[in-house]
Amino acid sequence: MTQTISQKLARDSLGNAQTFQGGVYVTKNGVAELFIQTAAERQAELREIEHERNINALFKLAMMAKKEITDGKGMTPEDVLGRLRAARK
């Protein structure tokens, strides 16, 4: 739940952990100036961003692999294993 409060009310109430349990927009003259959220909310937001980045990266890799295969640049599993073994030596 997100709520909007004035700067004065924010100064008066946000110091109390019981009253602050979700995102709050702090306004000045009716215009949102600041968004405050709990550390747990921020961590969840950062985890979600990282998850989305990983999904996008995996999708890009899959599309690159598909293009290489259609361009005839693919390798058989045996070729891949051979190159990996050669790189270890």
Side-chain angles (χ1 to χ4, degrees), residues 58-87:
L58 184 58
F59 179 72
K60 287 179 184 178
L61 286 172
M63 294 310 296
M64 288 170 55
K66 183 177 178 180
K67 184 175 182 334
E68 285 182 1
I69 290 170
T70 58
D71 291 346
K73 297 179 184 176
M75 296 187 336
T76 66
E78 293 79 20
D79 293 339
V80 172
L81 287 175
R83 288 182 72 175
L84 288 172
R85 288 184 183 124

Side-chain angles (χ1 to χ4, degrees), residues 2-50:
T2 301
Q3 58 188 127
T4 303
I5 63 175
S6 68
Q7 285 184 343
K8 182 180 181 336
L9 184 58
R11 281 191 302 271
D12 295 342
S13 66
L14 291 181
N16 184 351
Q18 285 82 17
T19 61
F20 183 67
Q21 296 183 8
V24 174
Y25 285 99
V26 179
T27 64
K28 180 177 181 181
N29 298 326
V31 178
E33 293 279 325
L34 179 69
F35 182 74
I36 303 172
Q37 65 189 128
T38 64
E41 289 172 328
R42 181 63 178 157
Q43 288 173 346
E45 182 181 1
L46 292 175
R47 278 193 304 272
E48 179 64 26
I49 290 169
E50 182 67 22

